[in-house]
Amino acid sequence: MQHDHLLHRLGAGGLAALSGAKPAAATGLDRRTFLKIGAGSGFALGIFPAGAQAPKADVPGTMTPGQQPSAFVRIAPDGTVTVSIGKIDIGQGVHTALPMVVADEMDADWSKVRAEFAPAGDAYKDPLFGIQMVGGSTSIKNSWTQYREIGARTRAMLLSAAARRWNVTAASLTADRGVVTGVSGQRATYGELAEAAMAEPVPLSVVLKTPKQFKIIGRPTGRLDARPKSTGRQQFGIDMALPGLRTVLVLRPPVFGAKVASFDATAAKAISGVEEVFEVPLDRGATGIAVVANGFWPARTAREALQVQWNTDGVERADSAALLAQYRQLATQPGLPVSRSDLSALAGAPHRIVAEYELPYLAHTPMEPLNCTIDLREGQCTVWVGSQFQTIDQATVAQVLGLDPKQVTLNTLMAGGGFGRRAVPTSDYVFEAAQVAKARRAAGRTGPIKLVWTREDDVKGGYYRPMHVHRAEIGIDARGRVLAWKHTIVGQSIITGTPFEPMMLKNGVDSTMTEGVADSAYGFPMTLEVHHPKVNVPVLWWRSVGHTHTAFVMETLVDEIARTVGADPFDYRRKALAKHPRHLAALDLVKRKSGYGTRRLPAGHAFGVAVHESFDTVVAYVVEASMEGGRPVLHRVTGAVHCNLAVNPRSIEAQVQGGLLMGLGMTLPGAEITLKDGIVQQGNWNDYRVATHAQMPQVEVFIVPSADPPTGVGEPSLPPLAPAFANALAAVTGKRLRRLPFAV
């Protein structure tokens, strides 16, 4: 494996956030000792004294870098408050939501709040998982208390500075909208107090607001990046421009893991603007050809002119049809045990359902293709990248270049989508960029490079959501009570061979593949087994990870059980989930708002219901669908979300809309990656289908009121959409859909 160094540095901990799992106590590592690498303690900015040293982490009575306002808040003389965000924004709205959290506890003037991305650094590591990252819908959930305390500490230091100026007690002062006021009418803005506040000690403990005291949190708020994005001024990684910057494209093997046998670059080098052509190591042990040019177009033209012979000796050539046959056969055989229950009632049950599901490989295809800019100098390196895993990518660059991670400055850039693709444990595109920089240095060439993947590169040679087959045998009585349930899942592990394997692969079972089944809120007695075939196809988490397939299977099966015994699918779910108040609250809200059971639908239309919990958030849908000209049509979606306290309801609504549209895309013909003789057959959106505005139904989103600490929203809206749609179509046609994309 190319990146065993990461496993050593990460230790036995892992990224449970990506699957909603909890850290395993068996690892023996606590969160403080997990991954002690990074780029220092962050910025010496804002209200921390210039040149002063922040208290080191893990010293009793002091604060970690992640608790220090100096790394997160900068106040300008005009009162502008800039909040540094230790996360990447890939569309989930964290660029606005986390500043809202800080600003509310600060009592800042929201109109003067700005946000910026922080570089890789200790201060910005996730407080729960110990690395700087975005994944598993944890940005707000894990940083909720941290960013509130940052805001509250900043406010306390500003009040302390004002109290010292006016010779009064801080308790006698009030703060509101960026202004501190005294009982005698004294008044000072945050901008006026900022310099003095820098000299104040940072309080170890602070009192946080109650939800009733929030002035910004919970209010629908426009995103800080909305205007630059809508006007085209927002800069993404692919827009990076530096003096002397060269563009790099890599020709990768058509079969995963193949190597260059020989190549002829004569025609490529003859193209104007092309400067270098050389072989380079790639991720997963492959090799390819890097083309360095003074622009994208000459690099691409030269790449197409290369003549390459590939060595595929010993490399498996995966084939989708053959894999599907293999998976179906495995699904009928005993697998690795996950849970056991009594199956004796299965054969004699009054009603029996036997169902097999097929779910294909899926590509991420973010709007902005992958890219990474690197400027390697003597003894130091600067990276600009839209990374979901800053700490890992920083360590990857350092390892390839023979540097210490502290010699690598990694700047986080706005990313045009990700869906998990920018969270690669082995950092393929970042790894490649570092290898190109290393090769150029060895050849005496210097200057910044920007490695770019085209969308075709990513569709044909990236990472994919694994293909899966589910097989379920269910015995139920006349009332719909589940007597026995035998369930087998077949699919590649996305954890095997990554630094997270020691934590998240338990007894050979990848917990990300069984989430949504093994921990289903329905609590049906179930014997669950899995098979993890090893296939030469790179796989990775995809938006909502295992829930992408498990929710479809579970929610269509639950619907089928209800219909089998003549029960209303909504009422059946409500009864089965009686011990889960958050599920019930979401179901009741969506029923009331959708008119389920009371609103008369046009002829040929039907309701479909689904509810699913992922990443600690419950989402319930009621959809309206029909068949038109033999084609499934989704007309309306009503959604209810229980994510506890809603930091920014407007952003939550946007996330649900985006997630359900991506979930709808899973159902469309052509929404699958297929392989033949080891080669991916799709190349771009012309033959790999994604949902667009043309398929977008009428959508209404409602949020269950709550004052409890927030949970994740970026991913949970995707899983229930496809099963709700399938359930509606089953009501229309009488045919159960057990394959994605739909085959009707």
Side-chain angles (χ1 to χ4, degrees):
M1 179 181 169
Q2 293 278 343
H3 293 264
D4 286 342
H5 69 284
L6 286 177
L7 180 57
H8 172 71
R9 293 191 174 190
L10 286 170
L15 191 62
L18 291 179
S19 68
K22 302 297 187 291
T27 64
L29 290 181
D30 62 27
R31 292 167 187 152
R32 293 181 184 270
T33 57
F34 172 64
L35 194 66
K36 296 295 184 183
I37 63 174
S41 60
F43 296 145
L45 298 176
I47 53 178
F48 198 79
Q53 296 295 316
K56 294 182 179 180
D58 306 324
V59 178
T62 64
M63 287 175 285
T64 66
Q67 296 172 308
Q68 291 281 357
S70 59
F72 295 87
V73 179
R74 183 173 70 249
I75 304 175
D78 66 356
T80 299
V81 176
T82 301
V83 181
S84 292
I85 305 302
K87 310 287 184 179
I88 187 178
D89 199 311
I90 45 179
Q92 80 275 36
V94 69
H95 189 263
T96 300
L98 285 176
M100 288 175 66
V101 173
V102 173
D104 204 323
E105 291 288 354
M106 273 185 67
D107 282 313
D109 181 350
W110 177 250
S111 69
K112 294 186 176 183
V113 175
R114 308 290 183 266
E116 63 185 12
F117 293 118
D122 286 342
Y124 309 112
K125 291 177 179 178
D126 186 277
L128 185 61
F129 296 104
I131 66 172
Q132 193 172 347
M133 49 142 285
V134 162
S137 295
T138 58
S139 292
I140 299 297
K141 175 185 171 184
N142 288 6
S143 299
W144 169 245
T145 300
Q146 177 194 17
Y147 277 71
R148 289 182 69 193
E149 289 182 346
I150 290 294
R153 288 191 174 101
T154 304
R155 179 183 184 274
M157 295 166 71
L158 288 161
L159 290 175
S160 181
R164 192 178 303 276
R165 172 182 293 189
W166 299 326
N167 197 26
V168 297
T169 64
S172 68
L173 305 178
T174 59
D176 182 53
R177 293 177 59 85
V179 177
V180 177
T181 304
V183 293
S184 300
Q186 306 99 317
R187 185 181 182 278
T189 67
Y190 282 3
E192 295 168 339
L193 293 169
E195 184 176 358
M198 292 168 63
E200 294 295 322
V202 181
L204 286 172
S205 62
V206 285
V207 176
L208 301 178
K209 292 182 178 180
T210 66
K212 290 183 178 180
Q213 295 173 310
F214 292 151
K215 299 175 182 178
I216 300 173
I217 295 171
R219 294 174 181 254
T221 303
R223 287 171 49 156
L224 297 177
D225 57 349
R227 185 174 297 277
K229 284 183 175 177
S230 60
T231 58
R233 294 198 302 269
Q234 179 66 58
Q235 294 293 295
F236 296 88
I238 206 164
D239 300 316
M240 272 299 298
L242 297 169
L245 181 68
R246 294 294 182 261
T247 299
V248 179
L249 268 70
V250 174
L251 181 64
R252 300 170 186 84
V255 178
F256 298 114
K259 294 180 171 61
V260 175
S262 64
F263 72 97
D264 183 351
T266 304
K269 290 181 177 179
I271 294 172
S272 178
V274 174
E275 299 178 356
E276 301 167 75
V277 180
F278 51 86
E279 187 173 347
V280 64
L282 303 180
D283 191 31
R284 304 186 293 270
T287 62
I289 307 297
V291 178
V292 183
N294 62 8
F296 174 83
W297 192 248
R300 177 164 184 164
T301 305
R303 186 174 68 168
E304 293 173 351
L306 287 169
Q307 300 295 315
V308 183
Q309 298 297 318
W310 299 101
N311 180 1
T312 59
D313 291 348
V315 176
E316 176 195 356
R317 292 176 172 267
D319 183 273
S320 296
L323 285 175
L324 181 58
Q326 176 194 357
Y327 282 23
R328 284 174 169 168
Q329 181 63 30
L330 285 172
T332 64
Q333 300 173 4
L336 297 171
V338 179
S339 63
R340 295 292 188 197
S341 66
D342 185 3
L343 297 176
S344 60
L346 189 60
H351 299 283
R352 191 168 179 228
I353 296 173
V354 179
E356 189 173 271
Y357 288 81
E358 302 170 11
L359 304 110
Y361 287 108
L362 295 175
H364 301 78
T365 65
M367 181 68 75
E368 179 199 10
L370 301 173
N371 58 87
C372 178
T373 298
I374 288 184
D375 189 6
L376 176 60
R377 308 279 175 160
E378 186 64 34
Q380 62 179 358
C381 181
T382 305
V383 181
W384 295 265
V385 63
S387 167
Q388 288 183 242
F389 278 6
Q390 291 98 320
T391 304
I392 289 180
D393 287 341
Q394 182 187 42
T396 293
V397 172
Q399 189 272 338
V400 170
L401 299 178
L403 301 173
D404 186 277
K406 292 183 179 180
Q407 295 174 284
V408 177
T409 300
L410 189 146
N411 298 296
T412 304
L413 302 181
M414 182 74 74
F419 316 118
R421 183 62 184 92
R422 301 179 194 274
V424 190
T426 50
S427 302
D428 54 342
Y429 64 108
V430 176
F431 175 80
E432 289 179 1
Q435 289 287 1
V436 171
K438 178 181 179 181
R440 295 186 80 233
R441 179 181 61 181
R445 303 296 292 268
T446 60
I449 60 164
K450 177 169 64 177
L451 181 135
V452 177
W453 285 47
T454 65
R455 183 164 292 108
E456 291 88 349
D457 291 340
D458 201 25
V459 171
K460 284 191 170 294
Y463 283 73
Y464 309 96
R465 196 287 304 269
M467 181 177 83
H468 296 91
V469 165
H470 286 240
R471 179 179 173 83
E473 299 178 48
I474 308 169
I476 55 179
D477 65 16
R479 295 178 298 169
R481 186 168 62 95
V482 173
L483 304 176
W485 188 316
K486 182 180 179 181
H487 198 120
T488 304
I489 309 175
V490 183
Q492 290 170 257
S493 166
I494 63 175
I495 298 302
T496 299
T498 75
F500 311 118
E501 180 176 339
M503 177 178 178
M504 299 180 68
L505 199 71
K506 301 173 183 177
N507 300 318
V509 176
D510 184 341
S511 60
T512 69
M513 192 173 80
T514 62
E515 59 188 4
V517 176
D519 56 355
S520 170
Y522 291 107
F524 297 133
M526 182 182 293
T527 291
L528 176 60
E529 298 176 343
V530 305
H531 293 272
H532 289 312
K534 295 187 183 302
V535 183
N536 185 32
V537 178
V539 292
L540 183 67
W541 29 71
W542 195 83
R543 189 173 185 176
S544 73
V545 201
H547 300 280
T548 59
H549 55 99
T550 59
F552 181 73
V553 173
M554 291 298 296
E555 280 302 297
T556 53
L557 285 174
V558 168
D559 209 78
E560 186 171 355
I561 292 170
R563 299 279 188 183
T564 298
V565 298
D568 177 84
F570 184 94
D571 294 339
Y572 183 88
R573 285 176 172 82
R574 206 181 186 291
K575 183 177 180 180
L577 295 168
K579 296 181 180 179
H580 298 274
R582 296 174 79 231
H583 289 71
L584 296 181
L587 281 169
D588 290 346
L589 179 59
V590 78
K591 182 178 183 181
R592 186 169 67 253
K593 296 296 186 179
S594 67
Y596 179 94
T598 59
R599 182 166 59 88
R600 177 173 293 184
L601 299 181
H605 290 220
F607 283 122
V609 182
V611 60
H612 189 76
E613 179 180 6
S614 59
F615 308 99
D616 298 321
T617 290
V618 179
V619 177
Y621 288 137
V622 170
V623 308
E624 178 186 337
S626 70
M627 295 291 295
E628 296 183 1
R631 179 175 60 90
V633 178
L634 185 63
H635 299 282
R636 181 193 297 263
V637 178
T638 306
V641 183
H642 200 319
C643 56
N644 292 351
L645 190 147
V647 173
N648 186 358
R650 186 169 295 171
S651 182
I652 291 171
E653 180 182 18
Q655 281 297 285
V656 173
Q657 291 171 342
L660 71 85
L661 185 64
M662 194 168 176
L664 173 60
M666 295 167 59
T667 72
L668 302 177
E672 56 185 327
I673 292 293
T674 58
L675 296 100
K676 186 175 182 180
D677 197 28
I679 299 174
V680 173
Q681 300 299 289
Q682 293 72 31
N684 207 321
W685 287 332
N686 63 306
D687 50 14
Y688 178 74
R689 187 79 178 274
V690 297
T692 65
H693 287 89
Q695 289 81 41
M696 188 68 175
Q698 180 179 338
V699 176
E700 289 185 291
V701 179
F702 302 93
I703 301 171
V704 177
S706 174
D708 292 328
T711 55
V713 178
E715 299 174 271
S717 62
L718 185 149
L721 191 282
F725 192 9
N727 291 336
L729 295 175
V732 171
T733 66
K735 178 183 177 182
R736 283 287 160 187
L737 298 173
R738 306 197 195 280
R739 184 183 186 278
L740 288 176
F742 290 162
V744 293

